[in-house]
Amino acid sequence: MSAVRTEEFMVNMGPHHPSTHGVCRLLLTMDGEKVIKIEPYIGYLHRSIEKICENRTYHQCIPILDRFEYVTAMSCNYVFSLAAEKLAQIEVPERAEYLRVIMLELNRIASHLIFFGTTAMDLGALTPFLYALREREYIMDLFEMTCGQRLTYNYIRIGGVSRDIPAEFVPKCREAIKIIDQKVDEYMALLNGNPIWQKRTIGVGYLSPELAVAYGVSGPILRASGVDFDIRRDDPYSIYDRFDFEIPVRPNGDVFDRYMLRLDEIKQSVRIISQALDGLPEGEIKAKVPLKFKPPAGEVYSRIENSRGEMGVYILSDGTEKPVRVKTRGGSYNHLQVLPEFATDILIADLVAIFASFDIIMPEVDR
Amino acid sequence: MLSIVKGIVELVRGMTITGKHLGKHAVTLQYPEEKWPMPERSRGIVVLLSDKETGALNCTACMLCMRACPTAAITIDAPRGEDKKRQLKVFQLDVGICCFCGLCEEACNFSAIKLATKYEFSTENKEDLVWDMHKLQEVGRDVPYEARPKKKPAPKPESQSQPPQTVNPVAAPESESSEDEKKEGEA
Ligand code: SF4
Ligand code: SF4
């Protein structure tokens, strides 16, 4: 009897696959059940944000950049403001810096909660998703109370923040971070010991530190591969050097470590926020920046540690009201690039786990 | 065998955690029937505010909001009348373009425009999303606001011959005006 003839075939995963978190299309080449080649196709969410910014004044760029990475829009606001402040050498008031750190860290927690919920959902556990979004609601309420929006904040501005926090913010924020801190333990108890969860995550999708560095992977994924690098500590911006917090690092570089690392980061963010709330000084919330903001000609790159790795903005200014060029850098772009490296006989189910653990969001890739 | 026991232990642990939520109240609402109270700063639809006594629009047609808008959602046409003052003829907001950023509210010196806490304005026609001055005023009638102290208009520089602007500066070339200078340094 002659051998059964087999051939490879292609599977389109996405652009509307529930586990691709947005509109990413992966073209998979399959050999039976094994994935042997992954080709990501991007561009479905392209809104030409960088080009739009070239036709806007610096103040108008901020609400546009809200849409650059809408899960952590505070970081987008902040990284652009930071670049513009560097360019024009604006001194930001102390209180504004504290408020910024509080907002950035709250946003990091909200983003990691979404990661936790969606990853668990992709791997078949629906309950964590509902819990995580419920806890995220505390943070959304805080944001809405302060700046009026739940997703596109337009809060951090060049020279400070747009409005002071309302009186009830501080007690509510303390309560929220206390609840979230407890809930993270509950999440760990819910999933960590579960044999199904362990089988699907431990040892799956190993990313070596060398490969991670070679592809420019950053943020929690890099640290889960054992590389101890965090911009908050290694290239400090704002007032992060005043707080006492740890950078969690994990050695194994698998899906489980990437998941655990983010939960650990939530705990550290809670620490930062409570220190910032303790030290919150009184005073101005915004430096004087004219409505017709014209920074001197020059170029600048600013980068921050976002929940999805390094987020950066490059501005080229010619001294007029509008930037000549705005270039954005999002971590997800690099993370999507490293994905084809995983096509070494994994199953589609593992690919879903790996993709989820990378926490890629498409607006950051397509921009 | 061991893994089965371990699995059962973990199952019980997981069920205990989820079971704790059984008796608790729901955190969701049945939306159209019940609604969350919106925070006071909530940025919903853009409305035009009227004077509490006279009922006339506060807007002086200075066009600062139009210039501040990043998406060119506001269209103002206000030709100068006999007395050289701008008469507001058209104030149009395309709700479909507006991104609810709130920059117009911040730009306005006269408490004339505000992002209200209302948020229900869905419609079946795209055309209905373009709101004119009267609709914006009607929706804004019951919106509470604090009137800012009126400032005296800055002395106008000589030679003021400006064509009425109907295009948003986002698309159009830059233009300077006295009102603009006045605002400078305040932001
Ligand atoms: S800024 Fe205020 S006063 Fe000026 S045109 Fe706009 S709404 Fe009217
Ligand atoms: S809220 Fe923003 S987008 Fe909407 S009209 Fe005002 S400035 Fe324009």
Side-chain angles (χ1 to χ4, degrees), chain A residues 6 29 54 58 63 66 73 78 98 106 122 124 132 161 189 192 228 237 264 276 314 332:
Chain A
T6 62
T29 309
E54 290 170 20
Y58 284 86
D66 267 344
Y78 180 65
Y98 272 86
L106 281 175
D122 287 348
V161 295
N192 284 9
D228 189 3
Y237 51 93
D264 291 343
Y314 165 82
S332 293

Side-chain angles (χ1 to χ4, degrees), chain A residues 59-107:
Chain A
H59 296 297
Q60 290 176 340
C61 285
I62 293 177
I64 303 289
L65 281 168
D66 267 344
R67 276 97 185 145
F68 158 44
E69 212 269 58
Y70 44 63
V71 180
T72 53
M74 284 289 179
S75 304
C76 311
N77 290 177
Y78 180 65
V79 71
F80 184 83
S81 309
L82 188 66
E85 282 154 14
K86 264 192 201 169
L87 206 54
Q89 289 175 350
I90 296 170
E91 192 79 25
V92 180
E94 188 93 329
R95 184 175 173 86
E97 290 282 20
Y98 272 86
L99 290 179
R100 283 169 167 200
V101 168
I102 293 171
M103 295 301 167
L104 287 172
E105 291 305 319
L106 281 175
N107 215 178

Side-chain angles (χ1 to χ4, degrees), chain A residues 55-56 59-61 63-64 66-67 127 131 134 141 144-149 152-155 157 162-166 183 186 189-195 198 286-292 294 320-322, chain B residues 3 6-7 10 13-15 17-21 24 27 38-39 41-44 64 66-71 99-103 105-107 168-170 172 174-177 180-181 183-187:
Chain A
N55 294 314
R56 300 290 186 278
H59 296 297
Q60 290 176 340
C61 285
I64 303 289
D66 267 344
R67 276 97 185 145
T127 317
Y131 287 1
R134 182 190 61 196
D141 283 348
E144 197 178 13
M145 186 200 289
T146 312
C147 69
Q149 286 282 23
T152 50
Y153 311 113
N154 190 14
Y155 180 65
R157 302 290 175 81
S162 71
R163 308 181 79 160
D164 207 346
I165 47 173
K183 292 287 177 185
E186 193 181 296
L190 196 60
L191 287 181
N192 284 9
N194 188 314
Q198 289 180 348
K286 198 160 187 257
K288 284 228 181 308
V289 179
L291 199 64
K292 285 204 166 173
K294 286 184 191 163
T320 58
E321 261 190 333
K322 296 171 185 174
Chain B
S3 68
K6 213 176 135 225
E10 284 304 323
R13 190 212 298 267
M15 291 308 268
I17 292 173
T18 45
K20 275 189 212 149
H21 292 274
K24 287 196 187 154
V27 291
M38 299 304 282
R41 292 184 183 180
S42 174
R43 303 206 305 255
L64 279 181
M66 188 171 97
R67 243 175 244 138
C69 179
T71 60
C99 67
F100 308 102
C101 62
L103 289 184
E105 182 184 332
E106 282 168 37
N168 186 284
V170 166
E174 279 170 47
S175 56
E176 313 267 324
S177 93
D180 227 20
E181 253 93 74
K183 177 84 184 169
E184 210 167 316
E186 284 180 42

Side-chain angles (χ1 to χ4, degrees), chain A residues 39-54:
Chain A
E39 287 172 85
Y41 283 83
I42 62 170
Y44 292 90
L45 209 59
H46 181 66
R47 295 142 301 160
S48 139
I49 284 186
E50 293 175 0
K51 195 73 195 168
I52 293 175
C53 286
E54 290 170 20

